[in-house]
Amino acid sequence: MRILCAVKRVVDYAAKIRVNAAQTNVDTSSVKMSMNPFCEIALEEALRLKEAGIATEVVAVTVGPDAAKDTLRTAMAMGADHAVHVVHESAGAGAGALPPLAVARVLSAVVDHAGPFGMVLAGKQAIDGDNNQTGQMLAALRGWPQATFASSVSVTDGGTHAVVTREVDAGLETVKVPLPAVVTTDLRLNEPRYAKLPMILKARKREIETLSAETLNVKDHVDRDQGKLHVRKVSEPPARAGGVKTKDMDEFINMLREKGVL
Amino acid sequence: MFVPEEKGGVGATRADAAVVFETLARADISVTAYLTIHNMNCGLLAKFGSEALCEQYLPDLASLEALSSYCLTEPGSGSDAASLRTTARVDGDDLVIDGAKTFISGAGSADFYFVMARTDASVSKAKGITCILVPKDAAGLSFGKAEEKMGWNAQPTRAVSFDGVRVPVTNIVGEFGQGFPIAMTALDGGRINIAACSVGGASFCLDYAREYMDSREQFGAPVGSFQYNQFRFAEMATDVHASRLCVRAAANALDEGSSTATRDAAMAKLFATERCYDVANRALQCLGGYGYLREYPVERYVRDLRVHTILEGTNEVMRQIISKRM
């Protein structure tokens, strides 16, 4: 079984960010960028499936600007066999960014172009957009089953199905889906490996297949999808207002009543 | 890192190593500095050692299953390295080594020692030295007490005594009399690496001071908002940046085999070790009283960085190297 693993280049989770002056996006100039943490987890799972002999090949794909090649090199350094880069300047988040539907459209085209794949593994969401839609939309576009928020994944029945435990609000839910399917990963699925230095150095010289919305024949679709979501403003959360200290429990309860909470 | 892939290493360039060591040194200068020494030794073995010697020792050394130390300095010969007095005389199929080395990093813990000894007293001082690989369990090899140092405490530093130590003649790294040129070759890389460690350590201190100054408030504002602190911070950041560029340029020169590589490495070592020690020291000042406490990491970086202006060739020797080449 071949696995397609979608990865995204985002602002590093530990970076301190600020909204830009135009309030259209987070200011990403001179901010450290990294592979989205949930994407790392997805890639790690794909690599483990390969090491277990269940998958034969792991292909990493990213939709993004030129700089996104770094993310693919990280993927190869961790162990991905091939890397596909769909170049698009507007990937990211904030105003003008490719919305999840457009990304899903492109990924679906990659599945057709580079397939067949038994599974698409992706992070549940990217930490810049936090949309949590791309994986689901990809499944819908392809008419594939989806198993999202995976906290454990196993392939069964001779590689025809996957059993996935999902983290849901009520607790854990286990589903069995026929393959091919889209699986999106949640935090507790695994702990991604550190890439080893020899692999990092080798990855610098490896080939990356470069495509675009045009060469994948989805440009018109993507342009239309891009017009469907319009980010109007990006702003910081309101500064935390001071609280009020009450002198005893009675005053506290009265205050809650006054505010209509009780 | 400098051992080629065919021999079990990574085959990295000096430019790669400069980045790697700088990054490791952000976390721990002392451990990283030891790793630079060990890497230098492995690189020497891979480059100058015989096939047989490499096959026998490189696998364990390159994988860090075995550790190594570099024995050049003696009680009577530091900057004047060529005047070393440890001897190695041929006796049948063996070499017999007598003498003493001092300030040896990792000594006592390391499994293998790359020893510079005089094999020919009849030629000029620099020409009669040979590099010999000595295993830790060789009879006659003994170690002094671990020195109590200001910093670099993650690694032991000991004197090493050779009392009729016997090793096979085949343990020579390179040729008879090639020891000094080998040492000089090794030092260019070693100087770049130590400078990279300085940059990494200073860069950590810079970031730490920045965070501290953004949160510590006095007189109703973060101390990082006072212009003097901002100006001082800008100077520190510039020093670290300039040091980093100097180190990387020297690394590139060494990779390209440039004729200015030795001078560039000396310049990078001189500049980076001095500037970065100052940055760490100023970072300690930025932390106020807390900077003086063991509990806060900066003072350890200051203590660790203090020796970088001294070893791998004192900065005085660096000045001499540079002026001779200008």
Side-chain angles (χ1 to χ4, degrees):
Chain A
M1 172 178 72
R2 296 169 74 244
I3 297 183
L4 181 68
C5 187
V7 297
K8 188 179 181 188
R9 176 178 183 262
V10 298
V11 172
D12 186 81
Y13 77 90
K16 296 208 172 105
I17 50 175
R18 279 183 292 213
V19 176
N20 64 18
Q23 288 203 317
T24 55
N25 208 338
V26 158
D27 183 8
T28 55
S29 58
S30 72
V31 164
K32 182 175 178 210
M33 305 294 277
S34 302
M35 187 188 291
N36 183 40
F38 297 110
C39 298
E40 272 186 346
I41 293 172
L43 180 58
E44 175 65 26
E45 198 62 20
L47 295 172
R48 289 188 190 188
L49 286 170
K50 185 176 155 204
E51 280 157 7
I54 295 168
T56 51
E57 198 182 326
V58 173
V59 178
V61 60
T62 198
V63 183
D66 235 27
K69 279 194 164 51
D70 288 344
T71 309
L72 289 174
R73 299 217 182 274
T74 304
M76 287 193 284
M78 280 173 70
D81 298 293
H82 297 293
V84 176
H85 181 193
V86 183
V87 182
H88 201 294
E89 288 314 308
S90 312
L98 274 187
L101 181 58
V103 177
R105 197 84 68 180
V106 171
L107 290 177
S108 186
V110 172
V111 170
D112 287 329
H113 169 84
F117 295 107
M119 191 185 290
V120 173
L121 267 165
K124 69 173 181 181
Q125 64 202 62
I127 60 173
D128 53 5
D130 274 320
N131 289 301
N132 188 349
Q133 296 171 11
T134 310
Q136 291 90 330
M137 287 177 169
L138 173 61
L141 285 174
R142 295 205 68 82
W144 281 10
Q146 58 182 265
T148 55
F149 315 114
S151 68
S152 90
V153 175
S154 50
V155 174
T156 59
D157 300 19
T160 60
H161 288 74
V163 172
V164 176
T165 303
R166 310 176 56 225
E167 295 195 21
V168 296
D169 290 339
L172 294 176
E173 175 192 67
T174 304
V175 298
K176 184 171 174 176
V177 292
L179 298 177
V182 173
V183 176
T184 73
T185 62
D186 210 326
L187 199 58
R188 275 160 281 269
L189 175 57
N190 62 46
E191 211 181 300
R193 66 196 60 188
Y194 285 105
K196 293 207 170 107
L197 183 61
M199 297 274 281
I200 296 176
L201 293 179
K202 280 204 190 95
R204 282 188 303 189
K205 302 186 194 116
R206 286 176 60 189
E207 241 189 76
I208 294 178
E209 186 183 357
T210 307
L211 303 168
S212 69
E214 272 117 340
T215 57
L216 285 169
N217 280 322
V218 286
K219 182 167 184 345
D220 289 341
H221 253 135
V222 166
D223 288 346
R224 270 205 309 277
D225 294 335
Q226 202 166 354
K228 288 182 184 162
L229 183 64
H230 179 47
V231 171
R232 298 175 59 195
K233 185 169 115 169
V234 175
S235 61
E236 285 175 22
R240 204 177 147 200
V244 175
K245 255 187 169 157
T246 58
K247 66 176 189 302
D248 58 19
M249 213 45 202
D250 286 335
E251 197 188 334
F252 184 66
I253 301 286
N254 282 332
M255 235 185 213
L256 288 180
R257 282 210 186 104
E258 275 167 38
K259 290 197 185 293
V261 175
L262 266 189
Chain B
M1 273 192 286
F2 309 124
V3 174
E5 276 188 73
E6 322 80 79
K7 294 193 175 177
V10 167
T13 62
R14 296 287 161 174
D16 296 330
V19 176
V20 171
F21 288 135
E22 179 189 327
T23 309
L24 288 175
R26 278 183 61 95
D28 193 314
I29 292 166
S30 184
V31 170
T32 308
Y34 172 73
L35 287 174
T36 68
I37 294 170
H38 180 75
N39 268 275
M40 176 183 77
N41 293 336
C42 295
L44 287 183
L45 179 56
K47 186 163 183 190
F48 296 105
S50 66
E51 282 289 326
L53 209 62
C54 286
E55 255 184 65
Q56 188 178 2
Y57 294 110
L58 260 184
D60 282 346
L61 284 169
S63 63
L64 265 187
E65 290 283 328
L67 299 177
S68 65
S69 282
Y70 183 70
C71 302
L72 174 64
T73 302
E74 297 182 358
S77 61
S79 292
D80 189 8
S83 69
L84 62 85
R85 305 215 322 239
T86 300
T87 57
R89 63 182 168 81
V90 178
D91 182 26
D93 288 333
D94 293 338
L95 282 165
V96 181
I97 309 172
D98 284 283
K101 297 289 184 185
T102 184
F103 291 143
I104 305 305
S105 299
S109 302
D111 305 285
F112 297 102
Y113 297 79
F114 289 75
V115 181
M116 297 293 177
R118 189 167 303 286
T119 43
D120 190 346
S122 68
V123 295
S124 73
K125 284 195 296 189
K127 292 206 174 122
I129 297 172
T130 305
C131 180
I132 307 163
L133 208 171
V134 179
K136 181 180 178 187
D137 51 15
L141 189 65
S142 62
F143 303 100
K145 74 166 182 21
E147 306 285 2
E148 286 177 41
K149 310 188 291 286
M150 177 176 171
W152 272 39
N153 288 321
Q155 45 176 303
T157 304
R158 293 184 159 99
V160 184
S161 287
F162 301 83
D163 189 10
V165 174
R166 236 168 227 283
V167 293
V169 158
T170 46
N171 272 29
I172 287 184
V173 179
E175 306 290 327
F176 274 99
Q178 200 186 8
F180 204 67
I182 290 178
M184 292 303 106
T185 305
L187 280 173
D188 283 343
R191 285 165 187 163
I192 293 171
N193 292 339
I194 283 293
C197 290
S198 285
V199 176
S203 138
F204 170 84
C205 293
L206 188 72
D207 291 344
Y208 197 90
R210 167 68 174 275
E211 271 197 55
Y212 178 85
M213 291 196 290
D214 282 346
S215 53
R216 167 77 175 177
E217 288 194 6
Q218 288 287 269
F219 309 110
V223 300
S225 67
F226 305 148
Q227 191 179 61
Y228 180 79
N229 288 335
Q230 291 179 335
F231 279 16
R232 174 166 58 187
F233 183 83
E235 290 162 7
M236 288 159 68
T238 306
D239 279 341
V240 172
H241 187 61
S243 298
R244 178 179 294 129
L245 292 176
C246 207
V247 168
R248 294 198 182 172
N252 284 328
L254 196 56
D255 281 331
E256 287 160 16
S258 160
S259 57
T260 60
T262 299
R263 184 203 71 185
D264 294 349
M267 282 179 162
K269 200 263 185 189
L270 170 63
F271 188 84
T273 56
E274 283 187 5
R275 291 303 176 103
C276 291
Y277 172 74
D278 279 342
V279 167
N281 198 24
R282 278 182 283 167
L284 195 157
Q285 183 78 10
C286 291
L287 263 50
Y290 296 105
Y292 204 62
L293 301 181
R294 283 273 155 97
E295 222 179 295
Y296 289 71
V298 175
E299 62 85 32
R300 192 185 90 224
Y301 283 74
V302 175
R303 288 186 290 106
D304 281 340
L305 288 179
R306 183 58 188 87
V307 75
H308 290 208
T309 58
I310 298 171
L311 39 65
E312 296 271 354
T314 60
N315 282 10
E316 287 73 19
V317 170
M318 294 305 105
R319 287 173 168 91
Q320 203 180 40
I321 292 174
I322 295 163
S323 64
K324 262 201 280 201
R325 283 166 173 72
M326 300 292 304

